[in-house]
Amino acid sequence: MNPLRSVRARLGLALLLVIAGALGIVYLIVVPSLERRLVEAKLHQLEKAAPVVAQRLEASVRLQWDLVAEEQARAFNARVVVYEVSRRGRTVLRSVASSGEEPLDGDPVAVRSARTLSPARGTVTRGRERFAEAAHPLKRPVVVLLSSSLRDALESVDQVKRRLLLAGLLALSVALVVGLGAASLFARRIRRLERAANRIAGGHFDEPVRDSGSDELAELASAFDRMRLRLAQLDRARGEFIANASHELRTPIFSLSGFLELLAEEDVSAPTRREFLAEMRTQVDRLTRLATDLLDLSRLDAGRLRIDRVPIDLARVARAAAAEFGPLAQTAGKQLELAADGAVVAMGDEQRVLQIVRILVENALRHTPEGTTVLVSAAMADGLVALAVRDDGPGIPPKELANVFDRFYRVEGGIASGSGLGLAIARELAQLMGGTLEVDSEPGRTAFSLRLPPRAATARFHVKTGELVTSERPPG
């Protein structure tokens, strides 16, 4: 892996760029502002001094102007130049008194003041040096100019620049070290999560995923650990399902094989033969149920299961289920009761609703002891139509309730039969019909409730396409 493409390098570089950008912004704001303030202060100082010098010159005779210029130059720490103005088609200045030896003829600030006969100020560059200047006109055609070097002010600005650059380099160095260190810790935590993900992907669910932080990575680690526990549970359920499915398949197949060998004998009596055939039909039914569950599950996963949403009478479905399982309940020493008076119309697929009720009633009869009463009822509840299957058996342990609808899951400690697919298929079918399948259990009572929307416009829903087409139909 390219080191420059690692999280550590990217985080360190990002921090470095942020610090560099912040320092650059500070530099661009502070240095020009400081320079403007210093130059402005110097110009303001000269602008205030220029009228004073002009008054002193007007109060003196022309022969003393050089002495006055020298005196005022020392007083204001600036060079003082007196220009005589002449106009011969253009403004011409001639220096008549100066506190320095270098001639300043044609100074732009003095020329501007002479042209407008008003005070003027500005900066000029002579050679490689900048000067702040202020000019003031006298009553006679004369202009006095005060010029002061900006060397000291600009040196202060240069010193600030150097210190800012030095502080910036130091800050960048510290930021680089701290950023790389923090990024290394961050990257180390990410690598731990990566190793944990690889372990989980490899099917190793024993080692927990931990992170000592309290940020988003810690939350991600917690999510990984929840996923690990969930996958471990599903993996155990899958293993149990494979073992159970193998047993469910092997038992009827071996039974059928044995019965066929016995039937092949010539001395089997007719009653025995009939008994063998009845048992063979029972084993074939077991295989058929298991194959049907697996087929329904594969269709649900592939989105190829077609669901009709038409008006159906849940009371009629409840009566059909009670009639179907009545003999089985009587044989098992249990009582199957029905509470469904009058039509209770909901929107759904009648065959799929009957399939759900069969799963619920069969589970109630299979997983409860002898003497248990199972009640199948249909009624309105909370604006929805509910079909419920209740029993007064020992109930489902609280820790198992959250998992009873999981695929391949079988309640621990219960009677070991079935594939663990029935309730998972039932809930998915309920959801596809726009309803819910819920469970409520406590010691001495367990209730599964199928809730469906009440009668409305008929709709046909296809799982794979997700299309819902409505039309009006008479009640079924």
Side-chain angles (χ1 to χ4, degrees):
M1 178 179 178
N2 188 347
L4 295 179
R5 300 183 64 182
S6 65
V7 173
R8 174 175 176 269
R10 290 183 177 182
L11 289 177
L13 182 60
L15 182 60
L16 192 66
L17 291 176
V18 169
I19 299 297
L23 290 174
I25 292 173
V26 171
Y27 183 88
L28 293 175
I29 292 176
V30 171
V31 172
S33 176
L34 177 62
E35 183 175 339
R36 284 194 303 270
R37 288 177 179 272
L38 292 175
V39 171
E40 180 64 26
K42 194 67 174 179
L43 289 171
H44 184 66
Q45 177 187 355
L46 295 178
E47 191 176 26
K48 289 179 64 178
V52 177
V53 176
Q55 290 177 3
R56 293 294 304 273
L57 289 172
E58 287 188 344
S60 305
V61 296
R62 182 164 182 163
L63 294 175
Q64 294 179 334
W65 282 3
D66 282 330
L67 295 176
V68 173
E70 290 289 348
E71 177 188 351
Q72 295 302 308
R74 288 191 297 271
F76 294 107
N77 192 28
R79 183 178 180 184
V80 178
V81 182
V82 182
Y83 294 99
E84 187 177 51
V85 182
S86 63
R87 290 182 175 84
R88 299 170 183 171
R90 63 187 181 89
T91 302
V92 178
L93 302 181
R94 183 171 63 85
S95 175
V96 296
S98 175
S99 62
E101 297 179 357
E102 182 184 355
L104 298 179
D105 293 338
D107 185 89
V109 176
V111 170
R112 191 163 67 249
S113 177
R115 286 176 178 172
T116 61
L117 296 178
S118 62
R121 70 176 195 169
T123 61
V124 298
T125 302
R126 288 190 288 271
R128 295 184 178 180
E129 190 172 356
R130 286 183 69 191
F131 293 85
E133 294 185 346
H136 195 86
L138 281 64
K139 294 180 180 178
R140 65 190 80 181
V142 172
V143 172
V144 61
L145 174 73
L146 276 69
S147 178
S148 180
S149 175
L150 292 171
R151 181 187 301 114
D152 294 341
L154 296 179
E155 283 181 355
S156 299
V157 174
D158 290 338
Q159 187 175 11
V160 171
K161 287 181 181 179
R162 289 192 295 270
R163 290 183 178 178
L164 276 177
L165 290 174
L166 182 61
L169 291 175
L170 181 61
L172 288 176
S173 301
V174 172
L176 183 61
V177 173
V178 173
L180 288 177
S184 296
L185 295 176
F186 195 74
R188 192 175 300 122
R189 295 170 64 192
I190 293 178
R191 283 195 293 271
R192 283 201 297 268
L193 289 179
E194 180 186 6
R195 290 193 294 270
N198 289 333
R199 288 197 307 271
I200 294 172
H204 304 290
F205 307 116
D206 297 333
E207 186 174 348
V209 183
R210 295 191 179 95
D211 189 278
S212 58
S214 58
D215 54 5
E216 289 82 356
L217 269 183
E219 294 177 1
L220 181 61
S222 299
F224 267 53
D225 199 55
R226 291 193 298 271
M227 178 184 70
R228 175 189 68 84
L229 294 174
R230 183 66 174 152
L231 289 175
Q233 187 181 61
L234 290 176
D235 188 62
R236 287 194 300 271
R238 180 184 59 84
E240 292 173 1
F241 166 72
I242 292 174
N244 188 55
S246 299
H247 172 74
E248 290 289 323
L249 288 170
R250 186 172 58 249
T251 299
I253 289 174
F254 284 172
S255 178
L256 288 171
S257 176
F259 284 125
L260 289 173
E261 290 179 2
L262 291 174
L263 288 173
E265 298 179 2
E266 296 182 357
D267 57 348
V268 178
S269 64
T272 303
R273 184 181 297 273
R274 285 194 297 271
E275 181 182 350
F276 284 175
L277 290 175
E279 184 61 29
M280 290 174 68
R281 278 193 292 270
T282 301
Q283 299 304 325
V284 170
D285 289 341
R286 289 181 62 184
L287 288 174
T288 302
R289 284 198 303 271
L290 181 59
T292 301
D293 286 347
L294 292 174
L295 182 60
D296 284 344
L297 198 62
S298 66
R299 285 176 176 172
L300 286 168
D301 289 338
R304 296 188 332 200
L305 192 65
R306 192 177 185 87
I307 299 292
D308 286 335
R309 295 182 64 185
V310 298
I312 58 173
D313 184 3
L314 293 188
R316 185 174 64 187
V317 175
R319 288 192 293 269
E324 180 179 346
F325 286 93
L328 177 61
Q330 187 174 4
T331 302
K334 301 169 186 179
Q335 186 173 356
L336 182 60
E337 298 180 352
L338 176 67
D341 297 330
V344 182
V345 182
M347 299 300 298
D349 187 312
E350 185 168 354
Q351 292 303 315
R352 296 301 176 183
V353 171
L354 183 57
Q355 181 180 353
I356 294 173
V357 178
R358 284 170 176 160
I359 292 171
L360 299 180
V361 174
E362 185 177 3
N363 278 351
L365 295 175
R366 177 186 299 163
H367 297 291
T368 54
E370 187 176 349
T372 300
T373 298
V374 178
L375 173 66
V376 182
S377 63
M380 292 290 297
D382 299 329
L384 296 175
V385 182
L387 195 158
V389 176
R390 300 179 179 86
D391 66 70
D392 56 3
I396 302 173
K399 66 177 182 178
E400 309 283 359
L401 276 177
N403 303 314
V404 293
F405 293 109
D406 294 346
R407 297 181 180 187
F408 316 127
Y409 192 81
R410 294 166 62 198
V411 176
E412 295 181 6
I415 300 174
S417 63
S419 62
L421 295 176
L423 289 178
I425 293 173
R427 168 170 274 191
E428 294 195 34
L429 289 175
Q431 291 172 347
L432 289 178
M433 288 185 288
T436 60
L437 180 60
E438 301 169 352
V439 61
D440 180 30
S441 183
E442 59 186 31
R445 187 184 70 86
T446 300
F448 284 87
S449 299
L450 170 65
R451 299 177 185 270
L452 294 173
R455 178 176 180 173
T458 302
R460 183 175 291 271
F461 179 79
H462 195 275
V463 178
K464 191 170 185 178
T465 63
E467 295 177 352
L468 187 65
V469 181
T470 61
S471 61
E472 291 295 333
R473 287 188 184 178

